[in-house]
Amino acid sequence: MDKYKVLIGLEMHCEISETNTKVFSSAKNGTKTANVDLSNIHIRPVDMAFPGTLPVVNKEAVKMSLMASMILNCKQPEYLYFERKNYYYPDLPKGFQITQETKPAPIGIYGHLTFDCHGEEKTVRINNLHLEEDAASSDHYTNCSRINYNRAGVPLLELVTEPDIHSADEAVAFLETMRSIYQYAGISEADSKKGQIRCDVNVSLMEKDKDESDPNNWGTKIEIKNVNSFGGVRDAINYEIQRQLDLIEDGKYEEMEQQTRRWDEESGTTIFMRSKVDAIDYKYFVEPNIPKIKISKEWLEEIRSQIPRLASERKETYINEYGLTDYDATIIVKEKPVAEYYEKMVELGANPKEASNWLTTNLLGHLNKLEQSITEISMTPEMLVELISLIDKKEISSKQAKEVFYDSLTTGKTPKQIVKEKGMTQISDEGAITKIANEVLDEHPDLIEKYKNGRTNVVDFLVGQIMKKTRGTANPGMARSTMLSEIEKR
Ligand code: ADP
Ligand code: MG
C-alpha cells in the first residue's frame, strides 16, 4: 500500500423528499412515508406511461436542485434541458428515464465542496449535479416479484464528484456533509434507512509518486453500483482496495479491465456484473416533450437569498456567541432536528450552555441508548426549559431534576405537573438550604447577636425567612435544623 494511492469518485443519488408532488407529474411525492404507505397509491397516468400523457416539470423540484447547485459552488445553466436515457426494465414503464446527462446544461456543473474529515479540511471537486426521476421499486419474493410505482417519478438529485477522495473515511465524511446540506437546506430528509440515498462508488489505485492531476496516471476504475448505506460505502471501498492490491500482487492488475461490480452486503464482497465492453448504450437524446427552460438571473438571485442557515454556520454561532465547545456544537448540528430543538430552547430564554448540557448529556444520551430520534419523543423544548428553570429557581434539587426529567420523558407530562403530583415542591437539598440559611444570616447580623445573647426564639423568624425566600418550597424540618447548625457556626 505504501507505493499506491487510492482514487475514489462518488455518484450520489438522493431523493428530494420535500416537494409535494413528483418531478414530472401531479402524483404525491410519498418519499417520506414510503415505508408505511400502501403500494401503488401515488400514481398518475403519466407515471404509468399511458399514451397521450405528457410530463410537466415541477418548479419546486427545480428550485431545490438549483439551491443545491449553489451550495455546491456549481455553475447554473442559462437554459435547462432534460434528456431521455433509453433502456427497458419493469420498474420503468416508459422504457426511458428522464434525466440530464450529456448536454452541457444540467442543474449544476464544476463546483466543489469543502468538508471536515477527522479535523482535517478536504475539498472535492463536483463534476456535475443533475435532476432526474426515480424508477419504481421492485420487491422480490420466493415465487414472485412485485413492483411498487409509488416511487416512479420521485425527484432524484444525482451528484458526480471528480476522483478527489482518497479513503473510505473521506468518502463517508463527504456523504455525511452532503446529507447535512440536504437536510438543512430543506431539500431532503436524506435518510438512507428510508432508501433515499444510493451511491455508486468508483475506485482505482495509482502509483503514489505520480502526478494525480494527470488522468493518464490514474488506474483502471472499478464502479460499484447501488450501495445504499454509508457503512456499505465504507466496507465496499475497503474491500475493493484490498481486492485491487491483491491483483497487483499477483501481477494481474494490468490486465484488469474497467468493470461494474455490485456490493453484496451479506458476503461483504463486490461481485462482477459487467465489463466496459458490455456497457449499455442508452441512446440519449433531448426529451422532446419538455421545452428548454430559461432560468432567469432574478430567479437565481431569489433562490440564493433563500438558502437556509447550514450546519457550519450554526456551529460557528454556537461556539462564538453561545460559548459552546467545538465538541458540543458538533454534536448539536449533526442532525437538523436536534439543532432546531436546541435553538428553540435558547429562544425560550434558556442559558445556552445549560441548555446544551441538558440536551447533549441527558436527552441525547438517553435517545442514543433507546435508538430513538428527537422527533419521536413527547418532551418538547418548552418542557426541558421549564425543567431547567425549576432547578435555577431552586424549586427542585438537581437530583430531583433527574427524576423529573425521566418521568417527563416517559410520560410526556410537564415538569411542573410532575413536581406537583409527586409533592416535590420542597427543597430537600442540604447544600441549597445551607446556602439560603447563610444568605438570611448575612442579612440579619443583629439577630445573630440576639441569639448569642440567649434570645433563641429568633430562630423561628430566621426559618420563616428561609421559607419566604424559597416561596415555601424548602423542607421545613431541614430548614430549621440547618439554621440551628449554621447560626451556631457564627
Ligand atoms: P463513465 O464515463 O464511465 O461514467 P465518468 O468519467 O463519467 O465515467 O466518471 C464516473 C465517476 O467515476 C465519477 O465519479 C469519476 O470521478 C469517477 N472516476 C473516473 N475515473 C476514475 C478513476 N480512475 N478512479 C476512480 N474514480 C474514477
Ligand atoms: Mg458517467
Side-chain angles (χ1 to χ4, degrees):
M1 192 66 214
D2 306 343
K3 279 169 67 187
Y4 300 96
K5 171 146 79 170
V6 189
L7 296 195
I8 301 164
L10 295 174
E11 293 162 85
M12 177 194 195
H13 297 84
C14 180
E15 285 179 339
I16 295 179
S17 63
E18 302 304 318
T19 60
N20 292 324
T21 55
K22 292 184 177 179
V23 60
F24 302 117
S25 92
S26 58
K28 183 179 166 196
N29 175 358
T31 308
K32 286 189 189 169
T33 48
N35 295 347
V36 292
D37 284 352
L38 288 173
S39 296
N40 295 309
I41 54 169
H42 306 310
I43 304 178
R44 300 287 302 154
V46 67
D47 303 315
M48 303 307 294
F50 279 20
T53 57
L54 290 171
V56 176
V57 179
N58 181 337
K59 190 173 177 185
E60 203 57 24
V62 173
K63 179 182 165 182
M64 289 179 187
S65 308
L66 286 168
M67 190 178 274
S69 168
M70 290 169 188
I71 296 169
L72 289 170
N73 307 292
C74 286
K75 183 172 174 312
Q76 291 81 46
E78 197 182 340
Y79 287 96
L80 200 64
Y81 292 85
F82 287 94
E83 288 177 284
R84 284 191 186 183
K85 177 178 182 176
N86 298 280
Y87 65 95
Y88 172 77
Y89 203 74
D91 65 11
L92 192 72
K94 295 197 294 292
F96 58 84
Q97 177 196 30
I98 304 181
T99 177
Q100 308 180 295
E101 185 86 13
T102 59
K103 279 270 164 194
I107 260 327
I109 47 169
Y110 308 143
H112 61 88
L113 178 68
T114 298
F115 60 100
D116 177 278
C117 179
H118 303 313
E120 252 185 89
E121 206 169 78
K122 303 277 175 191
T123 297
V124 167
R125 286 168 299 154
I126 309 294
N127 177 282
N128 76 82
L129 176 74
H130 56 267
L131 174 62
E132 57 190 22
E133 56 180 340
D134 207 345
S137 48
S138 15
D139 300 316
H140 302 289
Y141 301 89
T142 39
N143 57 355
C144 72
S145 288
R146 289 191 175 142
I147 301 181
N148 179 356
Y149 290 96
N150 284 347
R151 205 179 73 182
V154 160
L156 193 64
L157 265 176
E158 174 174 353
L159 81 76
V160 182
T161 76
E162 296 295 346
D164 293 345
I165 297 166
H166 298 100
S167 69
D169 274 6
E170 263 178 57
V172 172
F174 173 88
L175 293 172
E176 282 176 346
T177 307
M178 279 313 303
R179 175 172 61 192
S180 157
I181 287 175
Y182 284 139
Q183 287 180 354
Y184 276 94
I187 293 170
S188 180
E189 295 173 320
D191 185 346
S192 45
K193 283 200 273 294
K194 290 188 187 169
Q196 293 173 359
I197 295 179
R198 295 171 305 248
C199 293
D200 300 338
V201 184
N202 301 272
V203 184
S204 70
L205 298 179
M206 68 174 278
E207 283 174 39
K208 209 174 211 159
D209 42 17
K210 287 207 171 147
D211 177 13
E212 188 185 322
S213 65
D214 180 358
N216 289 318
N217 292 330
W218 298 353
T220 307
K221 78 162 186 185
I222 298 297
E223 180 182 28
I224 309 158
K225 279 258 174 233
N226 266 321
V227 192
N228 49 26
S229 72
F230 293 178
V233 168
R234 181 189 302 283
D235 294 347
I237 290 173
N238 287 331
Y239 175 85
E240 190 56 31
I241 293 172
Q242 194 52 51
R243 196 186 70 83
Q244 293 182 20
L245 281 172
D246 291 347
L247 284 174
I248 292 176
E249 189 127 304
D250 297 347
K252 290 184 181 148
Y253 188 77
E254 293 302 320
E255 64 197 57
M256 180 184 80
E257 26 169 42
Q258 200 172 315
Q259 56 184 239
T260 300
R261 302 176 71 88
R262 115 185 126 72
W263 173 242
D264 185 62
E265 189 92 35
E266 233 156 73
S267 65
T269 61
T270 61
I271 296 168
F272 177 81
M273 278 172 79
R274 58 174 181 260
S275 88
K276 185 76 181 176
V277 286
D278 300 321
I280 306 158
D281 178 0
Y282 294 113
K283 301 209 157 52
Y284 288 99
F285 60 87
V286 170
E287 165 60 54
N289 288 328
I290 301 176
K292 66 176 180 183
I293 297 166
K294 168 98 178 137
I295 311 275
S296 74
K297 284 228 158 59
E298 294 73 42
W299 196 38
L300 287 177
E301 269 160 36
E302 188 188 317
I303 295 171
R304 192 177 287 282
S305 72
Q306 289 171 5
I307 298 175
R309 287 163 62 234
L310 303 176
S312 48
E313 196 182 327
R314 293 187 198 226
K315 192 174 144 182
E316 264 172 41
T317 308
Y318 300 170
I319 295 173
N320 300 336
E321 287 175 35
Y322 299 165
L324 302 197
T325 59
D326 189 293
Y327 182 81
D328 285 340
T330 305
I331 292 177
I332 294 173
V333 298
K334 189 147 191 261
E335 301 281 342
K336 188 184 181 194
V338 174
E340 285 183 336
Y341 196 103
Y342 175 67
E343 287 179 18
K344 184 78 198 174
M345 287 178 75
V346 175
E347 191 189 308
L348 289 164
N351 171 300
K353 276 189 93 102
E354 226 171 346
S356 156
N357 285 343
W358 269 92
L359 183 62
T360 56
T361 324
N362 297 313
L363 188 54
L364 294 184
H366 188 73
L367 293 178
N368 281 344
K369 249 185 267 155
L370 300 181
E371 290 187 11
Q372 260 188 331
S373 132
I374 204 160
T375 54
E376 292 166 344
I377 54 168
S378 48
M379 182 177 228
T380 60
E382 284 82 359
M383 284 152 76
L384 196 47
V385 171
E386 186 176 291
L387 180 66
I388 295 175
S389 98
L390 287 175
I391 310 164
D392 283 350
K393 289 185 196 144
K394 301 200 177 67
E395 292 187 21
I396 51 173
S397 65
S398 48
K399 206 170 134 207
Q400 286 173 318
K402 285 262 162 69
E403 189 183 334
V404 176
F405 170 75
Y406 287 112
D407 267 13
S408 182
L409 201 59
T410 43
T411 62
K413 289 181 185 168
T414 68
K416 275 194 181 150
Q417 206 177 343
I418 292 165
V419 164
K420 198 167 162 210
E421 279 174 17
K422 294 206 156 185
M424 272 179 175
T425 39
Q426 56 179 20
I427 298 175
S428 305
D429 179 16
E430 218 175 303
I433 293 180
T434 305
K435 193 163 160 267
I436 299 163
N438 280 296
E439 283 173 22
V440 171
L441 288 171
D442 290 345
E443 284 160 18
H444 299 283
D446 53 330
L447 295 186
I448 302 176
E449 195 65 39
K450 283 186 178 162
Y451 179 83
K452 300 274 178 199
N453 295 331
R455 295 267 308 273
T456 51
N457 60 347
V458 296
V459 168
D460 292 340
F461 172 81
L462 293 169
V463 170
Q465 292 305 301
I466 295 181
M467 300 313 285
K468 199 172 159 195
K469 268 186 187 286
T470 59
R471 274 166 291 118
T473 60
N475 176 322
M478 199 181 263
R480 174 164 291 275
S481 60
T482 308
M483 180 50 79
L484 280 171
S485 63
E486 289 309 302
I487 202 167
E488 282 299 335
K489 289 183 197 158
R490 297 287 176 135

